[in-house]
C-alpha cells in the first residue's frame, strides 16, 4: 500500500509517499480500506512540532524525541472493512465505518488495521465518506469539552473563539443543538459560514475585542489560543467557565487556580478520545444535528498541498484527503510526490 511518512519534524516537505506492506489484522483487529481522511490540527502539530511555548520537551516525549515515533500521520478516517480477524464478530467485510485513531495516527495511508473494539463505528448513510472522515477530530473534542467537561446547559450564553475552524465549527453546532445562545468569533470572511451552521451572533475579531465590549458569557471557549485568561475573565459572567481547548502554557498550569479565586472556572486539558463520544457525535450527525464543515477535498496525491493549507491556520472546518482505490495507478513509485 501507499502511505505518507515523515522521519523528521518540519514543513509539509518532510512528507514522503512510500510503499509499505499492507498490514495484516490480528485476531481482534480489522483491516480497513481508507476512503477518506483529513489533515487535522493534530497532524500539523505532530509534523511541525508546533506547540505552546514551554511545551517543546513534553511534545518530543509524546511524539518522539529526535524523530517522529509514528511515521504515518492521520487522526481520522472513513473506509470499508476489507477483512476481519478470527475473533471479530461485530463487524464484517464490506461494512462502511468511521475510525478515529486519534493520537495513535496512521490514517494517511491506503489501509489501516484497528481493533474491532476500538474507536470505530458504522458510517451513517446520510454522510458522504468525506463528511464521515471529517467528523471525529473536531466533533469529539467539541462534545467532550462542552458537554462532559463544561456541563453546558440549555439557555446559556456561549462564545466560541475560532468558530470557523474544525473544533470551533463543531462547537457552534453542538452548543446550538444543546440549546445555547451561540456567539462565534472569526474573521469577516467566515461570518456567513458561522451563521449558517447555527451561530446566533458573529464577531469579527479584527473589528471587535469581545473581552472589552459586549455582554458577559456563561461560557467562553478558546479553540485558537489568542485570548488568555487575563482578558477572558472580563467577558465572563460571575460563575462563568472558560474552556481552554487551545491556549497559553501559563493558563494551562495556573489558569484553573486564578479562575477559582474569582468564583469562576477555567477548564483545560486534553479531549478524551473514546468510542462512546465518537458514537454520540456520529449519532448527532445521523440525526441531522451535526454536519462537519469541509473547506477543500484533495486527492491522496495532493497530501502535501493539503498539509500546506492546514499550516496557514485559516482553514474553514476540515481539510479532507480522498483515497482513490485506483490511486496505485496514479501513484507509481516514480510519480510519488516528494
Ligand atoms: N485540547 C485538546 O484536546 C485539543 C483537541 C483538538 C484540537 N485542539 C487544538 O485546538 C486548536 C484548534 O483546532 P482546529 O482543528 O479547530 O484548528 P483549525 O481548524 O486550523 O482552526 C482554524 C481556524 O482558526 C481561526 N482563527 C485563526 N486566527 C484567529 C483569531 N485570531 N481569532 C479567532 N479565530 C481565529 C480561523 O478563522 P479565520 O480564517 O476566520 O481567521 C480558522 O477558521 C488547535 O490548536 C488544536 O491543536 C486541542
Amino acid at each position: 500500500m501507499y502511505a505518507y511518512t515523515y522521519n523528521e519534524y518540519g514543513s509539509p516537505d518532510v512528507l514522503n509517499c512510500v510503499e509499505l506492506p499492507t498490514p495484516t489484522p490480528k485476531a481482534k483487529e480489522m483491516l480497513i480500506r481508507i476512503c477518506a481522511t483529513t489533515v487535522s490540527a493534530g497532524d500539523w502539530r505532530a509534523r511541525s512540532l508546533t506547540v505552546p511555548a514551554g511545551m517543546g520537551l513534553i511534545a518530543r516525549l509524546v511524539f518522539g524525541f529526535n524523530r517522529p515515533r509514528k511515521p504515518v500521520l492521520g487522526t481520522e478516517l472513513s473506509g470499508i472493512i476489507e477483512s476481519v480477524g478470527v475473533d471479530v464478530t461485530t463487524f464484517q467485510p464490506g461494512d462502511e465505518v468511521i475510525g478515529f485513531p486519534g493520537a495513535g495516527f496512521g490514517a494517511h495511508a491506503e489501509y489501516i488495521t484497528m481493533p474491532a473494539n476500538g474507536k470505530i463505528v458504522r458510517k451513517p448513510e446520510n454522510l458522504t465518506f468525506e463528511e464521515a472522515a471529517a467528523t471525529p477530530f473536531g466533533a469529539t473534542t467539541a462534545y467532550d469539552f462542552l458537554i462532559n467537561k463544561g456541563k453546558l446547559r440549555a439557555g446559556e450564553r456561549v462564545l466560541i473563539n475560532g468558530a470557523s475552524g474544525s473544533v470551533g465549527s463543531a462547537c457552534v453546532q453542538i452548543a446550538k443543538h444543546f440549546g445555547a445562545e451561540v456567539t462565534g468569533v472569526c474573521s469577516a470572511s467566515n461570518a456567513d459560514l458561522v451563521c449558517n451552521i447555527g451561530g446566533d451572533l458573529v464577531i469579527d475579531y479584527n473589528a471587535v475585542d469581545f473581552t472589552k465590549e459586549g455582554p458577559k458569557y456563561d461560557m467562553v471557549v478558546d479553540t485558537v489560543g489568542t485570548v488568555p485568561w487575563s482578558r477572558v475573565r472580563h467577558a465572563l459572567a460571575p460563575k462563568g467557565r472558560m474552556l481552554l481547548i487551545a491556549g497559553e502554557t501559563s493558563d494551562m498550569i495556573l489558569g484553573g487556580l486564578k479562575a477559582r479565586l474569582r468564583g469562576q472556572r477555567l477548564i483545560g486539558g486534553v479531549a478524551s478520545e473514546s468510542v462512546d463520544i465518537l458514537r454520540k457525535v456520529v449519532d448527532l450527525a445521523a440525526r441531522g444535528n451535526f454536519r462537519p464543515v469541509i473547506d477543500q477535498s484533495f486527492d491522496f496525491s495532493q497530501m502535501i498541498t493539503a498539509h500546506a493549507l492546514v499550516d496557514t491556520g485559516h482553514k474553514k472546518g476540515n481539510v479532507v484527503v480522498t483515497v482513490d482505490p485506483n490511486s496505485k495507478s496514479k501513484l507509481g513509485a516514480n510519480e510519488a510526490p516528494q
Side-chain angles (χ1 to χ4, degrees):
M1 69 168 186
Y2 282 100
Y4 282 84
T5 61
Y6 73 128
N7 297 308
E8 59 181 313
Y9 299 113
S11 70
D13 293 335
V14 299
L15 297 166
N16 288 300
C17 187
V18 299
E19 211 166 354
L20 297 176
T22 301
T24 306
K26 298 190 183 107
K28 296 181 189 320
E29 290 182 340
M30 314 185 292
L31 177 67
I32 303 162
R33 177 168 71 72
I34 296 174
C35 295
T37 180
T38 66
V39 179
S40 67
D43 295 316
W44 159 69
R45 288 203 183 279
R47 194 212 69 230
S48 62
L49 219 60
T50 306
V51 288
M55 300 291 280
L57 182 62
I58 292 173
R60 281 184 186 272
L61 290 172
V62 171
F63 296 126
F65 204 81
N66 291 318
R67 60 176 56 200
R69 193 175 294 125
K70 295 185 173 151
V72 180
L73 291 169
T75 57
E76 54 190 345
L77 63 100
S78 62
I80 300 172
I81 295 185
E82 186 90 357
S83 63
V84 300
V86 290
D87 290 348
V88 175
T89 54
T90 45
F91 290 92
Q92 57 187 28
D95 285 351
E96 298 181 348
V97 292
I98 298 176
F100 185 25
F105 296 100
H108 290 176
E110 289 181 303
Y111 292 90
I112 190 170
T113 49
M114 290 185 71
N117 66 356
K119 290 165 285 173
I120 184 155
V121 297
R122 284 188 171 71
K123 179 183 91 59
E125 282 184 3
N126 65 333
L127 290 187
T128 64
F129 279 107
E130 284 89 344
E131 289 170 329
T135 293
F137 182 87
T140 61
T141 302
Y143 191 100
D144 190 42
F145 270 91
L146 290 171
I147 309 302
N148 295 344
K149 299 187 200 302
K151 312 280 185 229
L152 177 74
R153 292 184 292 270
E156 288 195 306
R157 184 178 278 164
V158 175
L159 178 138
I160 315 290
N161 186 44
S164 53
S166 171
V167 177
S169 61
C171 282
V172 170
Q173 295 182 64
I174 291 173
K176 187 73 188 167
H177 173 68
F178 283 94
E181 180 193 303
V182 180
T183 298
V185 179
C186 60
S187 62
S189 59
N190 285 325
D192 285 348
L193 163 69
V194 173
C195 285
N196 290 339
I197 59 174
D200 296 296
L201 292 160
V202 177
I203 294 174
D204 170 7
Y205 60 76
N206 287 310
V208 175
D209 180 347
F210 75 89
T211 65
K212 290 194 175 144
E213 54 188 287
K216 305 283 186 208
Y217 298 91
D218 300 302
M219 188 184 270
V220 169
V221 186
D222 190 4
T223 75
V224 192
T226 49
V227 281
W229 169 254
S230 56
R231 289 172 53 207
V232 167
R233 65 195 171 115
H234 302 297
L236 277 183
K239 291 194 173 170
R241 294 91 87 200
M242 176 179 187
L243 304 187
L244 194 74
I245 297 180
E248 295 179 359
T249 309
S250 57
D251 277 350
M252 292 175 199
I253 296 169
L254 290 173
L257 181 62
K258 288 182 189 168
R260 282 208 185 259
L261 291 174
R262 290 170 54 95
Q264 296 163 325
R265 291 195 67 199
L266 181 145
I267 302 163
V270 179
S272 163
E273 292 182 356
S274 79
V275 70
D276 287 344
I277 301 176
L278 180 62
R279 268 195 207 105
K280 286 191 167 111
V281 299
V282 170
D283 192 49
L284 287 178
R287 293 166 189 267
N289 296 318
F290 168 74
R291 201 155 206 104
V293 172
I294 293 181
D295 183 321
Q296 280 193 61
S297 206
F298 293 90
D299 182 78
F300 194 64
S301 64
Q302 300 172 297
M303 180 68 82
I304 292 171
T305 311
H307 272 259
L309 173 55
V310 175
D311 277 28
T312 65
H314 292 283
K315 68 181 166 68
K316 299 182 211 310
N318 301 278
V319 169
V320 170
V321 175
T322 56
V323 190
D324 186 332
N326 301 315
S327 61
K328 281 192 180 64
S329 59
K330 290 191 213 155
L331 278 176
N334 295 329
E335 298 167 77
Q338 294 304 305

